Amino acid sequence: NPSGRINYPANLVITQYSPFNYAVGGGYIESKEDYRFKDFIVNNTGVSTYKVFKYAGMSRKEDASGSSSTYDYRSNTSNWIVYRLSDVLLMKAEAVTQLYAEAGIQEALNLVNQTYLRSNPDADSLKSEYYNGINDIESLVLRERQRELMFEGKRYFDLLRLARRKGNTSDVTSFVSRTSTSTELYGNMSTIDALYWPINEEELIDNPLLEQNPFYENTYPSASK
């Protein structure tokens, strides 16, 4: 029964912000027929809502034309995925881009293709000519992690690493702006410290050498106690 399931933001499905059907260089479209889009998200035609199916779902049956799917739901709790091979492959792809920069482009592409082609069996391999240098490859790895690990609790940490590497939160707030209009949220996220939780009051009492996260100490002092 899909009622009450969490919705996926529509503008991450039907706009240029979607990681699926994503246009890159040379006229290539990433994930144009990506199985993960249908396997992870239910398109409720006519009401423009997109339900999370990845964990609530038991099976998906596709019609002969591939244009329509029937979704069956679980009656029991599904397993929670923590780490799996595809996560490790994409972590390595990310590490390669940081260790070797331009010299690591092909290795990173080879790693990304292992997960990408499994879910896009009719697509061409992702090639370096589709991307304009290492910055585009870094973005590709981030998109592929978003597609492959969707709803597995990884995205926040991916964006946190991005902010730490760049030394600012500009990219993170750009991603958040696609699903929120809260000016308070943007203001809070202007500092990297805001991306971390405050330290629990009991921990501060037990260990006087600990110092509260300065964001909460200075911006929300009552919440830091």
mmCIF file of all heavy atoms in Angstrom, residues 113-155:
data_model
loop_
_atom_site.group_PDB
_atom_site.id
_atom_site.type_symbol
_atom_site.label_atom_id
_atom_site.label_comp_id
_atom_site.label_asym_id
_atom_site.label_seq_id
_atom_site.Cartn_x
_atom_site.Cartn_y
_atom_site.Cartn_z
ATOM 1 N N ASN A 113 31.319 3.331 -14.556
ATOM 2 C CA ASN A 113 30.627 2.519 -15.559
ATOM 3 C C ASN A 113 30.171 1.172 -15.017
ATOM 4 O O ASN A 113 29.216 0.579 -15.527
ATOM 5 C CB ASN A 113 31.519 2.321 -16.790
ATOM 6 C CG ASN A 113 31.330 3.416 -17.816
ATOM 7 O OD1 ASN A 113 30.209 3.802 -18.134
ATOM 8 N ND2 ASN A 113 32.435 3.922 -18.341
ATOM 9 N N GLN A 114 30.839 0.673 -13.976
ATOM 10 C CA GLN A 114 30.442 -0.628 -13.426
ATOM 11 C C GLN A 114 29.036 -0.581 -12.834
ATOM 12 O O GLN A 114 28.281 -1.547 -12.945
ATOM 13 C CB GLN A 114 31.444 -1.078 -12.363
ATOM 14 C CG GLN A 114 32.801 -1.449 -12.932
ATOM 15 C CD GLN A 114 33.708 -2.073 -11.883
ATOM 16 O OE1 GLN A 114 33.352 -3.042 -11.233
ATOM 17 N NE2 GLN A 114 34.893 -1.505 -11.726
ATOM 18 N N THR A 115 28.677 0.518 -12.204
ATOM 19 C CA THR A 115 27.318 0.639 -11.673
ATOM 20 C C THR A 115 26.372 1.224 -12.721
ATOM 21 O O THR A 115 25.211 0.827 -12.820
ATOM 22 C CB THR A 115 27.292 1.513 -10.412
ATOM 23 O OG1 THR A 115 27.799 2.818 -10.707
ATOM 24 C CG2 THR A 115 28.130 0.887 -9.308
ATOM 25 N N TYR A 116 26.880 2.147 -13.519
ATOM 26 C CA TYR A 116 26.037 2.840 -14.492
ATOM 27 C C TYR A 116 25.505 1.885 -15.559
ATOM 28 O O TYR A 116 24.304 1.867 -15.852
ATOM 29 C CB TYR A 116 26.835 3.973 -15.144
ATOM 30 C CG TYR A 116 26.058 4.746 -16.179
ATOM 31 C CD1 TYR A 116 25.149 5.727 -15.797
ATOM 32 C CD2 TYR A 116 26.212 4.493 -17.544
ATOM 33 C CE1 TYR A 116 24.411 6.438 -16.735
ATOM 34 C CE2 TYR A 116 25.481 5.192 -18.492
ATOM 35 C CZ TYR A 116 24.586 6.167 -18.080
ATOM 36 O OH TYR A 116 23.853 6.852 -19.010
ATOM 37 N N LEU A 117 26.380 1.070 -16.128
ATOM 38 C CA LEU A 117 25.960 0.195 -17.226
ATOM 39 C C LEU A 117 25.064 -0.937 -16.742
ATOM 40 O O LEU A 117 24.245 -1.454 -17.501
ATOM 41 C CB LEU A 117 27.183 -0.365 -17.952
ATOM 42 C CG LEU A 117 27.986 0.665 -18.746
ATOM 43 C CD1 LEU A 117 29.244 0.043 -19.335
ATOM 44 C CD2 LEU A 117 27.140 1.277 -19.859
ATOM 45 N N ARG A 118 25.197 -1.346 -15.489
ATOM 46 C CA ARG A 118 24.305 -2.356 -14.944
ATOM 47 C C ARG A 118 22.860 -1.871 -14.974
ATOM 48 O O ARG A 118 21.925 -2.648 -15.196
ATOM 49 C CB ARG A 118 24.711 -2.683 -13.501
ATOM 50 C CG ARG A 118 23.896 -3.809 -12.849
ATOM 51 C CD ARG A 118 23.915 -3.679 -11.342
ATOM 52 N NE ARG A 118 23.334 -2.420 -10.930
ATOM 53 C CZ ARG A 118 23.689 -1.747 -9.851
ATOM 54 N NH1 ARG A 118 24.654 -2.173 -9.071
ATOM 55 N NH2 ARG A 118 23.094 -0.611 -9.544
ATOM 56 N N SER A 119 22.659 -0.579 -14.727
ATOM 57 C CA SER A 119 21.309 -0.023 -14.675
ATOM 58 C C SER A 119 20.902 0.674 -15.961
ATOM 59 O O SER A 119 19.769 1.149 -16.079
ATOM 60 C CB SER A 119 21.206 0.969 -13.506
ATOM 61 O OG SER A 119 21.403 0.308 -12.286
ATOM 62 N N ASN A 120 21.832 0.768 -16.911
ATOM 63 C CA ASN A 120 21.554 1.352 -18.234
ATOM 64 C C ASN A 120 22.115 0.418 -19.308
ATOM 65 O O ASN A 120 23.033 0.785 -20.060
ATOM 66 C CB ASN A 120 22.203 2.733 -18.357
ATOM 67 C CG ASN A 120 21.600 3.761 -17.413
ATOM 68 O OD1 ASN A 120 20.659 4.469 -17.757
ATOM 69 N ND2 ASN A 120 22.159 3.840 -16.212
ATOM 70 N N PRO A 121 21.594 -0.812 -19.397
ATOM 71 C CA PRO A 121 22.217 -1.825 -20.257
ATOM 72 C C PRO A 121 22.200 -1.502 -21.747
ATOM 73 O O PRO A 121 22.995 -2.065 -22.500
ATOM 74 C CB PRO A 121 21.401 -3.089 -19.960
ATOM 75 C CG PRO A 121 20.094 -2.588 -19.432
ATOM 76 C CD PRO A 121 20.419 -1.337 -18.685
ATOM 77 N N ASP A 122 21.311 -0.618 -22.172
ATOM 78 C CA ASP A 122 21.244 -0.263 -23.594
ATOM 79 C C ASP A 122 22.028 1.008 -23.923
ATOM 80 O O ASP A 122 22.035 1.459 -25.069
ATOM 81 C CB ASP A 122 19.787 -0.068 -24.022
ATOM 82 C CG ASP A 122 18.971 -1.348 -23.880
ATOM 83 O OD1 ASP A 122 19.543 -2.433 -24.127
ATOM 84 O OD2 ASP A 122 17.788 -1.264 -23.514
ATOM 85 N N ALA A 123 22.683 1.581 -22.910
ATOM 86 C CA ALA A 123 23.401 2.851 -23.104
ATOM 87 C C ALA A 123 24.854 2.595 -23.481
ATOM 88 O O ALA A 123 25.402 1.511 -23.266
ATOM 89 C CB ALA A 123 23.338 3.683 -21.837
ATOM 90 N N ASP A 124 25.482 3.616 -24.047
ATOM 91 C CA ASP A 124 26.915 3.575 -24.300
ATOM 92 C C ASP A 124 27.663 3.746 -22.988
ATOM 93 O O ASP A 124 27.146 4.327 -22.031
ATOM 94 C CB ASP A 124 27.322 4.708 -25.250
ATOM 95 C CG ASP A 124 26.741 4.540 -26.644
ATOM 96 O OD1 ASP A 124 26.469 3.388 -27.028
ATOM 97 O OD2 ASP A 124 26.539 5.560 -27.324
ATOM 98 N N SER A 125 28.904 3.267 -22.956
ATOM 99 C CA SER A 125 29.758 3.551 -21.808
ATOM 100 C C SER A 125 29.962 5.051 -21.695
ATOM 101 O O SER A 125 30.012 5.771 -22.698
ATOM 102 C CB SER A 125 31.123 2.871 -21.980
ATOM 103 O OG SER A 125 30.986 1.471 -21.964
ATOM 104 N N LEU A 126 30.069 5.530 -20.473
ATOM 105 C CA LEU A 126 30.393 6.933 -20.255
ATOM 106 C C LEU A 126 31.837 7.158 -20.686
ATOM 107 O O LEU A 126 32.737 6.412 -20.296
ATOM 108 C CB LEU A 126 30.220 7.283 -18.778
ATOM 109 C CG LEU A 126 28.808 7.081 -18.222
ATOM 110 C CD1 LEU A 126 28.793 7.299 -16.712
ATOM 111 C CD2 LEU A 126 27.818 8.015 -18.899
ATOM 112 N N LYS A 127 32.067 8.167 -21.500
ATOM 113 C CA LYS A 127 33.390 8.418 -22.082
ATOM 114 C C LYS A 127 33.884 9.805 -21.705
ATOM 115 O O LYS A 127 33.086 10.725 -21.460
ATOM 116 C CB LYS A 127 33.338 8.283 -23.607
ATOM 117 C CG LYS A 127 32.916 6.897 -24.097
ATOM 118 C CD LYS A 127 32.833 6.864 -25.609
ATOM 119 C CE LYS A 127 32.547 5.462 -26.126
ATOM 120 N NZ LYS A 127 31.231 4.950 -25.702
ATOM 121 N N SER A 128 35.195 9.970 -21.688
ATOM 122 C CA SER A 128 35.794 11.234 -21.249
ATOM 123 C C SER A 128 35.396 12.400 -22.152
ATOM 124 O O SER A 128 35.331 13.536 -21.698
ATOM 125 C CB SER A 128 37.321 11.111 -21.186
ATOM 126 O OG SER A 128 37.844 10.741 -22.437
ATOM 127 N N GLU A 129 35.114 12.102 -23.434
ATOM 128 C CA GLU A 129 34.768 13.210 -24.343
ATOM 129 C C GLU A 129 33.412 13.829 -24.014
ATOM 130 O O GLU A 129 33.079 14.906 -24.525
ATOM 131 C CB GLU A 129 34.785 12.749 -25.804
ATOM 132 C CG GLU A 129 33.923 11.558 -26.122
ATOM 133 C CD GLU A 129 34.742 10.270 -26.166
ATOM 134 O OE1 GLU A 129 35.683 10.140 -25.364
ATOM 135 O OE2 GLU A 129 34.427 9.409 -27.006
ATOM 136 N N TYR A 130 32.614 13.171 -23.184
ATOM 137 C CA TYR A 130 31.340 13.749 -22.773
ATOM 138 C C TYR A 130 31.520 14.817 -21.697
ATOM 139 O O TYR A 130 30.573 15.552 -21.385
ATOM 140 C CB TYR A 130 30.409 12.675 -22.197
ATOM 141 C CG TYR A 130 30.058 11.545 -23.123
ATOM 142 C CD1 TYR A 130 29.668 10.309 -22.603
ATOM 143 C CD2 TYR A 130 30.103 11.677 -24.501
ATOM 144 C CE1 TYR A 130 29.330 9.249 -23.426
ATOM 145 C CE2 TYR A 130 29.779 10.623 -25.340
ATOM 146 C CZ TYR A 130 29.394 9.413 -24.805
ATOM 147 O OH TYR A 130 29.062 8.364 -25.611
ATOM 148 N N TYR A 131 32.711 14.888 -21.116
ATOM 149 C CA TYR A 131 32.929 15.726 -19.941
ATOM 150 C C TYR A 131 34.123 16.651 -20.160
ATOM 151 O O TYR A 131 35.098 16.280 -20.805
ATOM 152 C CB TYR A 131 33.138 14.851 -18.699
ATOM 153 C CG TYR A 131 32.001 13.883 -18.502
ATOM 154 C CD1 TYR A 131 32.081 12.587 -19.006
ATOM 155 C CD2 TYR A 131 30.831 14.283 -17.876
ATOM 156 C CE1 TYR A 131 31.012 11.705 -18.877
ATOM 157 C CE2 TYR A 131 29.764 13.414 -17.742
ATOM 158 C CZ TYR A 131 29.858 12.121 -18.244
ATOM 159 O OH TYR A 131 28.808 11.261 -18.133
ATOM 160 N N ASN A 132 34.025 17.835 -19.582
ATOM 161 C CA ASN A 132 35.053 18.847 -19.788
ATOM 162 C C ASN A 132 36.013 18.873 -18.596
ATOM 163 O O ASN A 132 35.999 19.786 -17.774
ATOM 164 C CB ASN A 132 34.407 20.218 -19.991
ATOM 165 C CG ASN A 132 35.411 21.291 -20.349
ATOM 166 O OD1 ASN A 132 36.479 20.992 -20.878
ATOM 167 N ND2 ASN A 132 35.089 22.532 -20.053
ATOM 168 N N GLY A 133 36.840 17.831 -18.482
ATOM 169 C CA GLY A 133 37.878 17.837 -17.461
ATOM 170 C C GLY A 133 37.447 17.258 -16.135
ATOM 171 O O GLY A 133 36.340 16.741 -15.949
ATOM 172 N N ILE A 134 38.327 17.382 -15.162
ATOM 173 C CA ILE A 134 38.164 16.709 -13.881
ATOM 174 C C ILE A 134 36.968 17.235 -13.089
ATOM 175 O O ILE A 134 36.307 16.476 -12.362
ATOM 176 C CB ILE A 134 39.467 16.813 -13.045
ATOM 177 C CG1 ILE A 134 39.403 15.910 -11.809
ATOM 178 C CG2 ILE A 134 39.754 18.252 -12.667
ATOM 179 C CD1 ILE A 134 39.245 14.441 -12.119
ATOM 180 N N ASN A 135 36.653 18.517 -13.195
ATOM 181 C CA ASN A 135 35.508 19.049 -12.446
ATOM 182 C C ASN A 135 34.203 18.377 -12.869
ATOM 183 O O ASN A 135 33.347 18.067 -12.029
ATOM 184 C CB ASN A 135 35.400 20.564 -12.621
ATOM 185 C CG ASN A 135 36.521 21.304 -11.921
ATOM 186 O OD1 ASN A 135 37.097 20.813 -10.953
ATOM 187 N ND2 ASN A 135 36.844 22.498 -12.398
ATOM 188 N N ASP A 136 34.058 18.150 -14.179
ATOM 189 C CA ASP A 136 32.867 17.458 -14.670
ATOM 190 C C ASP A 136 32.845 16.005 -14.218
ATOM 191 O O ASP A 136 31.780 15.446 -13.953
ATOM 192 C CB ASP A 136 32.806 17.517 -16.199
ATOM 193 C CG ASP A 136 32.292 18.848 -16.715
ATOM 194 O OD1 ASP A 136 31.966 19.719 -15.878
ATOM 195 O OD2 ASP A 136 32.226 19.031 -17.943
ATOM 196 N N ILE A 137 34.008 15.372 -14.135
ATOM 197 C CA ILE A 137 34.073 13.985 -13.674
ATOM 198 C C ILE A 137 33.704 13.902 -12.197
ATOM 199 O O ILE A 137 32.995 12.991 -11.764
ATOM 200 C CB ILE A 137 35.473 13.389 -13.917
ATOM 201 C CG1 ILE A 137 35.798 13.371 -15.411
ATOM 202 C CG2 ILE A 137 35.569 11.983 -13.339
ATOM 203 C CD1 ILE A 137 34.868 12.531 -16.253
ATOM 204 N N GLU A 138 34.169 14.858 -11.401
ATOM 205 C CA GLU A 138 33.776 14.900 -9.992
ATOM 206 C C GLU A 138 32.256 15.005 -9.864
ATOM 207 O O GLU A 138 31.643 14.339 -9.022
ATOM 208 C CB GLU A 138 34.439 16.083 -9.289
ATOM 209 C CG GLU A 138 35.939 15.930 -9.074
ATOM 210 C CD GLU A 138 36.535 17.146 -8.386
ATOM 211 O OE1 GLU A 138 35.765 17.977 -7.858
ATOM 212 O OE2 GLU A 138 37.768 17.273 -8.372
ATOM 213 N N SER A 139 31.643 15.852 -10.701
ATOM 214 C CA SER A 139 30.185 16.006 -10.670
ATOM 215 C C SER A 139 29.494 14.728 -11.115
ATOM 216 O O SER A 139 28.434 14.356 -10.566
ATOM 217 C CB SER A 139 29.760 17.175 -11.568
ATOM 218 O OG SER A 139 30.280 18.400 -11.090
ATOM 219 N N LEU A 140 30.073 14.048 -12.089
ATOM 220 C CA LEU A 140 29.514 12.770 -12.535
ATOM 221 C C LEU A 140 29.502 11.757 -11.391
ATOM 222 O O LEU A 140 28.498 11.070 -11.167
ATOM 223 C CB LEU A 140 30.319 12.220 -13.709
ATOM 224 C CG LEU A 140 30.103 10.732 -14.033
ATOM 225 C CD1 LEU A 140 28.674 10.483 -14.494
ATOM 226 C CD2 LEU A 140 31.113 10.247 -15.067
ATOM 227 N N VAL A 141 30.617 11.637 -10.689
ATOM 228 C CA VAL A 141 30.689 10.691 -9.570
ATOM 229 C C VAL A 141 29.628 11.025 -8.524
ATOM 230 O O VAL A 141 28.941 10.136 -8.001
ATOM 231 C CB VAL A 141 32.094 10.682 -8.937
ATOM 232 C CG1 VAL A 141 32.121 9.811 -7.687
ATOM 233 C CG2 VAL A 141 33.140 10.193 -9.941
ATOM 234 N N LEU A 142 29.445 12.305 -8.245
ATOM 235 C CA LEU A 142 28.438 12.726 -7.269
ATOM 236 C C LEU A 142 27.038 12.363 -7.751
ATOM 237 O O LEU A 142 26.203 11.894 -6.967
ATOM 238 C CB LEU A 142 28.553 14.240 -7.048
ATOM 239 C CG LEU A 142 27.756 14.829 -5.879
ATOM 240 C CD1 LEU A 142 28.245 14.271 -4.545
ATOM 241 C CD2 LEU A 142 27.870 16.356 -5.891
ATOM 242 N N ARG A 143 26.759 12.554 -9.049
ATOM 243 C CA ARG A 143 25.444 12.186 -9.593
ATOM 244 C C ARG A 143 25.224 10.681 -9.545
ATOM 245 O O ARG A 143 24.134 10.207 -9.221
ATOM 246 C CB ARG A 143 25.298 12.663 -11.044
ATOM 247 C CG ARG A 143 24.910 14.100 -11.213
ATOM 248 C CD ARG A 143 24.469 14.391 -12.638
ATOM 249 N NE ARG A 143 25.443 14.019 -13.648
ATOM 250 C CZ ARG A 143 26.490 14.759 -13.995
ATOM 251 N NH1 ARG A 143 26.718 15.914 -13.397
ATOM 252 N NH2 ARG A 143 27.327 14.354 -14.942
ATOM 253 N N GLU A 144 26.266 9.920 -9.898
ATOM 254 C CA GLU A 144 26.103 8.468 -9.905
ATOM 255 C C GLU A 144 25.885 7.934 -8.490
ATOM 256 O O GLU A 144 25.100 7.003 -8.287
ATOM 257 C CB GLU A 144 27.317 7.799 -10.549
ATOM 258 C CG GLU A 144 27.222 6.280 -10.657
ATOM 259 C CD GLU A 144 26.074 5.777 -11.527
ATOM 260 O OE1 GLU A 144 25.426 6.590 -12.226
ATOM 261 O OE2 GLU A 144 25.816 4.553 -11.504
ATOM 262 N N ARG A 145 26.560 8.538 -7.505
ATOM 263 C CA ARG A 145 26.296 8.154 -6.120
ATOM 264 C C ARG A 145 24.856 8.516 -5.741
ATOM 265 O O ARG A 145 24.197 7.755 -5.029
ATOM 266 C CB ARG A 145 27.292 8.830 -5.177
ATOM 267 C CG ARG A 145 28.678 8.206 -5.215
ATOM 268 C CD ARG A 145 29.596 8.797 -4.147
ATOM 269 N NE ARG A 145 29.100 8.572 -2.804
ATOM 270 C CZ ARG A 145 29.293 7.447 -2.103
ATOM 271 N NH1 ARG A 145 29.976 6.440 -2.640
ATOM 272 N NH2 ARG A 145 28.825 7.333 -0.877
ATOM 273 N N GLN A 146 24.369 9.646 -6.221
ATOM 274 C CA GLN A 146 22.990 10.028 -5.938
ATOM 275 C C GLN A 146 22.014 9.021 -6.550
ATOM 276 O O GLN A 146 21.034 8.620 -5.903
ATOM 277 C CB GLN A 146 22.707 11.434 -6.487
ATOM 278 C CG GLN A 146 21.313 11.953 -6.161
ATOM 279 C CD GLN A 146 21.051 13.331 -6.730
ATOM 280 O OE1 GLN A 146 21.748 13.779 -7.647
ATOM 281 N NE2 GLN A 146 20.052 14.015 -6.207
ATOM 282 N N ARG A 147 22.287 8.591 -7.775
ATOM 283 C CA ARG A 147 21.402 7.637 -8.437
ATOM 284 C C ARG A 147 21.465 6.259 -7.773
ATOM 285 O O ARG A 147 20.446 5.638 -7.473
ATOM 286 C CB ARG A 147 21.773 7.517 -9.920
ATOM 287 C CG ARG A 147 21.488 8.757 -10.749
ATOM 288 C CD ARG A 147 21.766 8.530 -12.221
ATOM 289 N NE ARG A 147 23.171 8.458 -12.544
ATOM 290 C CZ ARG A 147 23.843 9.366 -13.280
ATOM 291 N NH1 ARG A 147 23.215 10.435 -13.727
ATOM 292 N NH2 ARG A 147 25.119 9.204 -13.557
ATOM 293 N N GLU A 148 22.666 5.778 -7.570
ATOM 294 C CA GLU A 148 22.853 4.413 -7.084
ATOM 295 C C GLU A 148 22.467 4.254 -5.617
ATOM 296 O O GLU A 148 21.898 3.232 -5.228
ATOM 297 C CB GLU A 148 24.319 4.000 -7.277
ATOM 298 C CG GLU A 148 24.686 2.632 -6.727
ATOM 299 C CD GLU A 148 24.017 1.474 -7.448
ATOM 300 O OE1 GLU A 148 23.502 1.673 -8.580
ATOM 301 O OE2 GLU A 148 24.000 0.373 -6.894
ATOM 302 N N LEU A 149 22.767 5.251 -4.802
ATOM 303 C CA LEU A 149 22.591 5.129 -3.351
ATOM 304 C C LEU A 149 21.379 5.908 -2.847
ATOM 305 O O LEU A 149 21.263 6.185 -1.656
ATOM 306 C CB LEU A 149 23.858 5.609 -2.647
ATOM 307 C CG LEU A 149 25.153 4.918 -3.115
ATOM 308 C CD1 LEU A 149 26.369 5.574 -2.496
ATOM 309 C CD2 LEU A 149 25.124 3.432 -2.823
ATOM 310 N N MET A 150 20.488 6.249 -3.750
ATOM 311 C CA MET A 150 19.304 7.037 -3.410
ATOM 312 C C MET A 150 18.532 6.409 -2.251
ATOM 313 O O MET A 150 18.277 5.208 -2.233
ATOM 314 C CB MET A 150 18.421 7.137 -4.653
ATOM 315 C CG MET A 150 17.272 8.104 -4.546
ATOM 316 S SD MET A 150 16.473 8.352 -6.165
ATOM 317 C CE MET A 150 17.638 9.482 -6.937
ATOM 318 N N PHE A 151 18.204 7.221 -1.253
ATOM 319 C CA PHE A 151 17.426 6.843 -0.064
ATOM 320 C C PHE A 151 18.190 5.937 0.892
ATOM 321 O O PHE A 151 17.596 5.363 1.798
ATOM 322 C CB PHE A 151 16.090 6.183 -0.451
ATOM 323 C CG PHE A 151 15.327 6.934 -1.497
ATOM 324 C CD1 PHE A 151 14.918 6.311 -2.669
ATOM 325 C CD2 PHE A 151 15.025 8.283 -1.329
ATOM 326 C CE1 PHE A 151 14.229 7.010 -3.644
ATOM 327 C CE2 PHE A 151 14.334 8.980 -2.293
ATOM 328 C CZ PHE A 151 13.936 8.344 -3.455
ATOM 329 N N GLU A 152 19.495 5.784 0.716
ATOM 330 C CA GLU A 152 20.286 4.933 1.603
ATOM 331 C C GLU A 152 21.021 5.727 2.690
ATOM 332 O O GLU A 152 21.842 5.185 3.414
ATOM 333 C CB GLU A 152 21.280 4.104 0.787
ATOM 334 C CG GLU A 152 20.607 3.097 -0.120
ATOM 335 C CD GLU A 152 21.576 2.166 -0.820
ATOM 336 O OE1 GLU A 152 22.691 1.945 -0.295
ATOM 337 O OE2 GLU A 152 21.232 1.650 -1.904
ATOM 338 N N GLY A 153 20.722 7.021 2.780
ATOM 339 C CA GLY A 153 21.313 7.819 3.849
ATOM 340 C C GLY A 153 22.735 8.273 3.575
ATOM 341 O O GLY A 153 23.460 8.640 4.500
ATOM 342 N N LYS A 154 23.163 8.272 2.309
ATOM 343 C CA LYS A 154 24.537 8.619 1.952
ATOM 344 C C LYS A 154 24.685 10.066 1.478
ATOM 345 O O LYS A 154 25.776 10.630 1.531
ATOM 346 C CB LYS A 154 25.051 7.702 0.842
ATOM 347 C CG LYS A 154 24.875 6.219 1.098
ATOM 348 C CD LYS A 154 25.830 5.716 2.152
ATOM 349 C CE LYS A 154 25.737 4.203 2.284
ATOM 350 N NZ LYS A 154 26.676 3.678 3.273
ATOM 351 N N ARG A 155 23.619 10.634 0.962
ATOM 352 C CA ARG A 155 23.716 11.922 0.261
ATOM 353 C C ARG A 155 24.270 13.032 1.154
ATOM 354 O O ARG A 155 25.098 13.837 0.719
ATOM 355 C CB ARG A 155 22.329 12.301 -0.269
ATOM 356 C CG ARG A 155 22.268 13.602 -1.047
ATOM 357 C CD ARG A 155 23.005 13.505 -2.358
ATOM 358 N NE ARG A 155 22.747 14.667 -3.195
ATOM 359 C CZ ARG A 155 23.392 14.926 -4.326
ATOM 360 N NH1 ARG A 155 24.314 14.097 -4.763
ATOM 361 N NH2 ARG A 155 23.108 15.987 -5.027
#
